[in-house]
Every structure is written in C-alpha cells, then in structure tokens.
Amino acid sequence: NENKMLARARRVRERDAAEAARKAELEQVASARNSALLTESRVLAFNFSDSRRVRRDHYKGMSREQLAAIQAEQQAQREALAARRAAEKADDAAWAERVRQQVE
C-alpha cells in the first residue's frame, strides 16, 4: 500500500510539474507576443523627454505618414525636374530659331 501511495504522489507531482511547465510556456509566449521589443513597436523609438527626437538605438523604421511625406516630396521633385527640362528644351528651340533667322 505504501508503494501505491508513493507512486500516486509521484504521479501527482509529475502532473503538477507538467501543468506548471505548460503554464510557464504559455506565459512566455504571451510575453513575447506583447513585448514592445520583439514586436518592433515604434513607441520605443521616441524620446520620452522630447517627443520630436527619435532614439537611434531603438529606431524601428518610418511611419506610414513619414513615408507618404517622402513620396510626395519625391513626386514634387520629379515634376519640377520635368518642368525644368521642358523649359530648357523650349529655350533651346527658341535659341535655335533665333540663330537660324540670323543666318538667313
């Protein structure tokens, strides 16, 4: 009988240990899923004392708004370049026309 009691106590201890291990594993997974570091939260990138400054050691990339602003600026630069090239082409054509008229 004593052996049965010891075996039963051992099974209870093993079951409790397995349950504790499962619970610890689930807590670890939940912690990893909610961790600002592992989820690369952009909240960490900002300096808490000055929200305009970004911490280089915690930088996680630009926000969608920042990327959109850059893309809009690049589009404006492309349009300005195209306009400048068109103006230069018109100036070159006008110059060529003046030279042609002087030669005649």
Side-chain angles (χ1 to χ4, degrees):
N1 284 339
E2 188 174 336
N3 284 340
K4 289 181 182 180
M5 286 177 32
L6 289 174
R8 190 168 108 157
R10 189 186 80 217
R11 284 193 305 270
V12 168
R13 276 195 317 272
E14 289 174 352
R15 185 180 63 224
D16 290 345
E19 180 64 30
R22 276 194 301 274
K23 185 176 179 181
E25 185 177 325
L26 289 174
E27 288 174 2
Q28 183 180 8
V29 169
S31 175
R33 289 178 56 100
N34 297 324
S35 168
L37 178 68
L38 295 178
T39 59
E40 296 188 352
S41 173
R42 289 189 173 98
V43 173
L44 291 179
F46 294 101
N47 189 335
F48 289 109
S49 61
D50 185 3
S51 62
R52 295 171 295 162
R53 296 184 63 197
V54 175
R55 293 184 56 179
R56 292 188 309 177
D57 59 334
H58 287 210
Y59 186 68
K60 300 296 181 185
M62 290 185 264
S63 67
R64 288 190 174 115
E65 293 82 18
Q66 290 171 322
L67 291 172
I70 289 172
Q71 291 169 352
E73 179 67 24
Q74 289 174 338
Q75 181 62 33
Q77 290 172 344
R78 284 190 292 272
E79 291 170 0
L81 178 62
R84 191 177 81 221
R85 286 182 177 165
E88 288 174 358
K89 189 174 181 180
D91 286 347
D92 289 345
W95 177 258
E97 180 62 28
R98 273 185 253 141
V99 170
R100 189 183 61 77
Q101 287 176 356
Q102 287 178 353
V103 170
E104 292 178 352

